[in-house]
Amino acid sequence: MLFNSFAFLGLCLITLFLYYLPLFSRAQVKLLIIASMLFYAYDQPALVVLLLLSAGINTGVSYWVLFGNATSKKALATLGVGLNLAILAFFKYSPLFARTFLPSGNDIGRFLLTIPLPIGISFFTFEGISLTIDLYKNKAFSQREGEGLTFTKHAERTLFFISFFPHLVAGPILKAHDFLPQISRKYFRNIEWEAAFKCLVVGYFLKMVVADNLKDFTLLLDFPYHQYYSSLTLLTMLFGYSIQIFADFAGYSAIALGLGKLFGYTLQENFNFPYISTSFKEFWKRWHISLSTFLLEYLYIPLGGNRKGRARTYLHLILTMFLGGLWHGAAWSYAIWGLCHGLALALEKLAGYDRPSQSTAIQLVRGLLVFIFVTLAWLLFKLPNFADVISFVRSVAKNSGALSTTRINSSILVYSLPVVIYHLYYVVRPRAAWRPVVRLEYIGYGLLLFLILVNSGNPGSFIYFQF
Amino acid sequence: MVVKALMVMGVIFALYAVFIAQVKPYWSISHHKEQQDNQIKAEKYLYDYRQEHGVVVGSSLSSHLGNLPGIYNLALDGLSSLDGLAIVMKQKSPPRTVLIEINFIDREENTSFTGLVNNPVLKPAKRLFMSMRADKQPLSVVVEQLQMTLDRLRAPFIIPDPAVPGSATSAQQASRYTELLTKQLERYAQAPAPGVFEQQLGKLRQAVSLLEQQGARVVFFEMPVDCRLDDSPRAKAVRVAFRQYFPQATYSYVPRPACAAYQTADGIHLDAQSVTKYSYFLQEQLAKHKR
């Protein structure tokens, strides 16, 4: 179910109404679980079973980790992580395995290629891993909270943590130690209306006005269309895709945050104006924050982080980003994308460019270089087939496009402008001279709402749904 | 803050709605944006056109047909006749004549598009507020202005390229045509997948019988394509299936003109001259059918 559909609006309003009714005050969590199941089942009803299975495994393992024999806790936690990874590997990477390692026509290969990719699996399996590890490390809740916990209660909380619909299919990836302590009775009077409103308006604007309009132009990056356009248009389209993917995913995340706030939950910020970054290190602190912090906490640090010498630090960085890239999709292009970012991070650290410079000019140049690199790397996202990437690069080099394209270029520039302004406003907002403008922010939000109403593009699914 | 923002939105929307309703600006927006072009076409049919007249439904092959008096062209780029019919069928008064293109009937209905056009909330809102329609999007107007400015700036630097026979441009165009035609030949080398095709024909039969019950006259036509595709397995299979589902003795068909008389831009889409020529041909044939 798409956040920008009327079906979702209906589900959300009904759930919100019932949620705060005194009659359901003791069943708030159960109500949200039911709503989340309906949300997930809307497109793929059969795969709800998998979601329940994943939640069931995580409930069992994490409960034993909490209350089981002290000597077997580590083994159980390892088993929990392993089972989550096995589910992810089977459903997400089987087709890649078949394409890479098995001969075409092989029966097992043919079977593996038919395995459906359950929507949101990358997100809910990572949340399962977080639950197991956090409980193993006693990070998810206090000793006192843990003592009164029955298996049924734990199962309910786990299912809610994994399936809460605002984050279920495309994040932010929740961490058990952030979310579980928030589970309690919520009151209508405590809703942070203004914060929720801002998140929802910005989120829907980014998705419906920016991303959904840009997608109709950036689809021309695909093979064979890109062969018919000039280098300038192709590069403009790639710039447009860079803006689109931000607007699409940051928009989704902002909507998720806003929805969470309506139900009394604070989800982790997922984007913090990433395109103003002046280093790759900063970029990854601002882009898909819930994934980068997950990889940092549950992969980079356990690997040894920067505690095992410089060479190992670079290796850990590259490996973490390589696996992070592969997490995105079952194609080698995603892994290469991650590898590129890992190498950029390592080289940047090696050269000492990961710290901000005192000179504004140098900062600007670095910011531009980071943006150009990040934008070029998105090509591997847009065209997961390497042959298409090569064809695109050839088309840029050939500059043989014959089609008139001022319309495409103008459209991309106009629909990208809000994202550019959004980032620039973030930079100037804290300055004293901008205080009067900040006081009039409500006019800006009114304008965004107006544009959502009259200028939305044709609704498309969120890019990150495929991951 | 929330209330103030909502009020601002209300004021801007009201001002914009009054402006659009009073000035009724004609903004020739879109192009290069298939879905938006389709949406504009569908909305013009739903809100501006007298629907009891005739309608053409089809794919991009027939989407540029013109000069058909009393007939609205609802052929949609990238979609098929079934998408157009899904819009037509939702209307209270059926059209008198429905022209159905048969070429790409095997394409499945794009329910996200037809769902959007037929949305029970948006449809009445767009009927009421012209300002909410796709061709009145304010940012598209900004795009239009920017494009015109860029074109003006570019104009002095463009060297006219007449593409005379024998020139480099002409050779380039010929090579591109061959490339595009080769792709179409690959596509036309196989008949449509039987399962989906039969399902689509079943849906079409249902829609046609409903239209006929409501008094509409249904006429099938096949858009001419390059002669090398005209005799392909795909084109033949489509014709055979149509004759099976809609026998010529019972249903009206526009006769197929000689493909050699028409030129295409890429093997399947007629060029501007041929589109006009075929539109006149269709007009003549419809007049004969009336008699």
Side-chain angles (χ1 to χ4, degrees):
Chain A
M1 191 183 283
L2 292 177
F3 279 176
N4 49 344
S5 65
F6 283 97
F8 177 73
L9 183 68
L11 175 75
C12 202
L13 288 177
I14 293 168
T15 309
L16 195 63
F17 174 73
L18 296 175
Y19 185 72
Y20 287 110
L21 277 184
L23 183 69
F24 291 99
S25 62
R26 286 179 182 278
Q28 284 182 326
V29 169
K30 290 186 183 75
L31 192 71
L32 285 180
I33 291 173
I34 294 168
S36 301
M37 291 301 136
L38 289 173
F39 172 81
Y40 194 72
Y42 191 77
D43 293 317
Q44 294 177 304
L47 293 173
V48 169
V49 178
L50 177 68
L51 179 66
L52 292 171
L53 178 76
S54 169
I57 289 171
N58 283 304
T59 302
V61 172
S62 59
Y63 194 77
W64 284 319
V65 165
L66 254 186
F67 298 110
N69 189 338
T71 52
S72 59
K73 277 191 178 190
K74 191 170 183 178
L76 279 166
T78 311
L79 176 73
V81 173
L83 285 172
N84 275 300
L85 290 176
I87 291 175
L88 185 63
F90 180 75
F91 282 97
K92 188 161 179 172
Y93 300 106
S94 292
L96 178 67
F97 178 82
R99 278 196 300 270
T100 311
F101 299 111
L102 299 176
S104 61
N106 176 289
D107 285 346
I108 299 172
R110 268 206 298 266
F111 163 71
L112 293 178
L113 286 172
T114 61
I115 294 171
L117 177 67
I119 195 163
I121 190 168
S122 311
F123 294 90
F124 64 74
T125 48
F126 266 34
E127 281 153 1
I129 291 172
S130 159
L131 178 77
T132 309
I133 295 178
D134 282 2
L135 289 183
Y136 171 66
K137 292 187 171 174
N138 293 320
K139 275 167 73 182
F141 38 68
S142 66
Q143 189 73 27
R144 191 177 57 80
E145 284 172 314
E147 277 165 10
L149 197 67
T150 61
F151 183 80
T152 323
K153 197 77 195 158
H154 179 62
E156 182 184 287
R157 286 160 64 94
T158 301
L159 183 55
F160 175 49
F161 163 63
I162 284 176
S163 69
F164 184 34
F165 69 84
H167 75 84
L168 175 58
V169 290
I173 301 166
L174 302 187
K175 290 169 195 82
H177 62 82
D178 285 334
F179 191 79
L180 291 182
Q182 292 188 53
I183 302 177
S184 61
R185 186 175 169 186
K186 307 290 178 187
Y187 296 93
F188 188 76
R189 61 175 180 272
N190 292 340
I191 296 178
E192 297 172 55
W193 287 107
E194 191 173 317
F197 175 79
K198 283 181 175 177
C199 286
L200 291 171
V201 172
V202 169
Y204 277 111
F205 176 81
L206 286 175
K207 170 62 185 161
M208 295 171 75
V209 179
V210 178
D212 281 349
N213 275 303
L214 280 174
K215 78 169 189 319
D216 293 342
F217 300 101
T218 57
L219 67 86
L220 300 171
L221 285 168
D222 291 341
F223 181 82
Y225 312 115
H226 60 235
Q227 298 175 102
Y228 310 120
Y229 294 95
S230 68
S231 310
L232 179 68
T233 304
L234 290 174
L235 294 175
T236 310
M237 284 182 201
L238 192 55
F239 165 77
Y241 184 70
S242 190
I243 299 292
Q244 182 200 337
I245 196 167
F246 165 77
D248 194 276
F249 195 20
Y252 178 91
S253 300
I255 297 168
L257 253 68
L259 291 169
K261 283 183 192 303
L262 288 180
F263 292 99
Y265 289 90
T266 302
L267 309 185
Q268 188 183 8
E269 289 275 357
N270 221 9
F271 287 87
N272 186 20
F273 304 88
Y275 287 153
I276 61 157
S277 306
T278 55
S279 67
F280 294 103
K281 184 179 168 185
E282 188 187 356
F283 178 79
W284 281 103
K285 284 186 170 174
R286 292 175 176 276
W287 180 276
H288 203 175
I289 300 165
S290 65
L291 174 69
S292 48
T293 51
F294 183 95
L295 293 174
L296 179 80
E297 282 180 46
Y298 301 105
L299 184 61
Y300 178 72
I301 293 175
L303 279 173
N306 57 7
R307 289 166 285 132
K308 299 200 172 173
R310 292 185 71 155
R312 284 287 295 272
T313 304
Y314 302 138
L315 182 69
H316 295 158
L317 268 176
I318 294 169
L319 188 63
T320 303
M321 292 309 293
F322 175 81
L323 292 172
L326 202 55
W327 171 87
H328 282 85
W332 292 114
S333 68
Y334 295 109
I336 301 295
W337 171 82
L339 190 66
C340 289
H341 273 276
L343 285 169
L345 281 166
L347 287 172
E348 181 182 75
K349 201 169 176 64
L350 182 70
Y353 288 154
D354 55 340
R355 289 179 291 275
S357 160
Q358 296 299 317
S359 156
T360 314
I362 292 177
Q363 287 286 83
L364 277 173
V365 172
R366 279 192 193 171
L368 194 65
L369 288 176
V370 170
F371 178 74
I372 291 171
F373 179 92
V374 167
T375 299
L376 290 175
W378 287 135
L379 195 58
L380 292 162
F381 253 65
K382 180 66 182 152
L383 306 172
N385 188 344
F386 286 121
D388 294 353
V389 175
I390 291 164
S391 162
F392 178 87
V393 174
R394 268 200 199 128
S395 300
V396 172
K398 252 168 72 182
N399 188 28
S400 63
L403 299 177
S404 166
T405 54
T406 38
R407 180 92 213 173
I408 296 175
N409 294 340
S410 311
S411 302
I412 291 173
L413 292 179
V414 168
Y415 286 110
S416 299
L417 199 60
V419 171
V420 177
I421 295 172
Y422 180 64
H423 279 75
L424 290 178
Y425 182 63
Y426 170 77
V427 176
V428 298
R429 195 177 185 273
R431 295 183 188 165
W434 282 79
R435 254 177 234 149
V437 178
V438 173
R439 258 183 255 129
L440 297 175
E441 259 180 0
Y442 65 90
I443 296 180
Y445 283 99
L447 188 63
L448 296 187
L449 271 175
F450 165 72
L451 288 171
I452 292 170
L453 208 58
V454 301
N455 217 115
S456 294
N458 287 298
S461 64
F462 289 89
I463 295 173
Y464 264 67
F465 274 15
Q466 63 187 301
F467 307 137
Chain B
M1 192 270 180
V2 177
V3 177
K4 276 188 197 170
L6 289 171
M7 281 167 64
V8 169
M9 186 269 286
V11 170
I12 303 175
F13 182 76
L15 289 173
Y16 189 66
V18 169
F19 167 73
I20 296 290
Q22 292 305 311
V23 179
K24 292 194 176 66
Y26 176 73
W27 291 329
S28 63
I29 62 162
S30 199
H31 302 298
H32 289 301
K33 224 182 149 195
E34 199 171 74
Q35 283 282 10
Q36 198 181 4
D37 281 336
N38 287 342
Q39 206 180 330
I40 291 172
K41 223 176 192 187
E43 287 177 1
K44 279 190 186 302
Y45 172 72
L46 291 174
Y47 311 124
D48 297 339
Y49 188 73
R50 291 189 59 188
Q51 290 149 12
E52 61 272 27
H53 287 172
V55 65
V56 178
V57 290
S59 67
S60 57
L61 271 62
S62 45
S63 71
H64 294 290
L65 290 176
N67 303 318
L68 299 168
I71 304 243
Y72 186 84
N73 188 338
L74 189 58
L76 303 165
D77 294 343
L79 305 179
S80 85
S81 304
L82 282 165
D83 296 279
L85 284 174
I87 296 165
V88 172
M89 306 291 287
K90 289 271 177 185
Q91 296 313 106
K92 279 178 193 155
S93 46
R96 269 183 227 147
T97 310
V98 183
L99 278 156
I100 300 176
E101 178 213 292
I102 68 168
N103 300 57
F104 280 97
I105 203 71
D106 53 316
R107 270 187 194 151
E108 286 187 75
E109 184 187 332
N110 182 337
T111 47
S112 77
F113 173 75
T114 51
L116 184 72
V117 173
N118 290 326
N119 186 288
V121 180
L122 289 177
K123 206 166 153 183
K126 287 185 177 187
R127 191 180 292 280
L128 193 63
F129 297 108
M130 216 190 281
S131 53
M132 288 181 73
R133 296 182 196 167
D135 66 337
K136 299 290 180 274
Q137 292 193 341
L139 288 182
S140 299
V141 181
V142 179
V143 170
E144 181 85 0
Q145 293 305 316
L146 181 64
Q147 184 199 357
M148 287 197 302
T149 312
L150 289 177
D151 280 340
R152 258 200 307 274
L153 290 172
R154 240 169 50 121
F157 304 101
I158 296 173
I159 303 157
D161 201 349
V164 285
S167 72
T169 311
S170 168
Q172 235 179 30
Q173 282 176 356
S175 122
R176 174 155 296 150
Y177 184 82
T178 313
E179 197 183 312
L180 293 169
L181 181 66
T182 310
K183 281 185 189 134
Q184 295 301 343
L185 281 166
E186 282 168 23
R187 190 183 187 188
Y188 272 67
Q190 283 179 337
V196 180
F197 190 34
E198 279 156 18
Q199 215 179 354
Q200 300 303 94
L201 284 166
K203 279 186 196 169
L204 183 64
R205 184 150 64 185
Q206 244 179 339
V208 166
S209 109
L210 210 64
L211 281 168
E212 285 182 330
Q213 277 170 28
Q214 293 172 334
R217 185 167 66 107
V218 175
V219 181
F220 295 106
F221 70 102
E222 182 182 345
M223 285 298 289
V225 291
D226 188 290
C227 286
R228 281 160 281 187
L229 300 170
D230 194 59
D231 204 26
S232 64
R234 181 195 151 81
K236 280 190 208 160
V238 169
R239 275 171 222 141
V240 170
F242 259 86
R243 304 292 187 261
Q244 258 174 16
Y245 275 77
F246 305 99
Q248 270 180 308
T250 324
Y251 294 92
S252 305
Y253 280 84
V254 171
R256 227 154 39 91
C259 56
Y262 295 90
Q263 304 298 317
T264 67
D266 57 0
I268 57 170
H269 296 95
L270 295 182
D271 66 15
Q273 265 186 331
S274 292
V275 124
T276 313
K277 190 175 170 183
Y278 188 74
S279 298
Y280 281 117
F281 170 76
L282 207 54
Q283 198 181 325
E284 279 171 21
Q285 294 301 317
L286 283 176
K288 276 185 201 167
H289 273 274
K290 261 186 195 169
R291 276 182 244 136

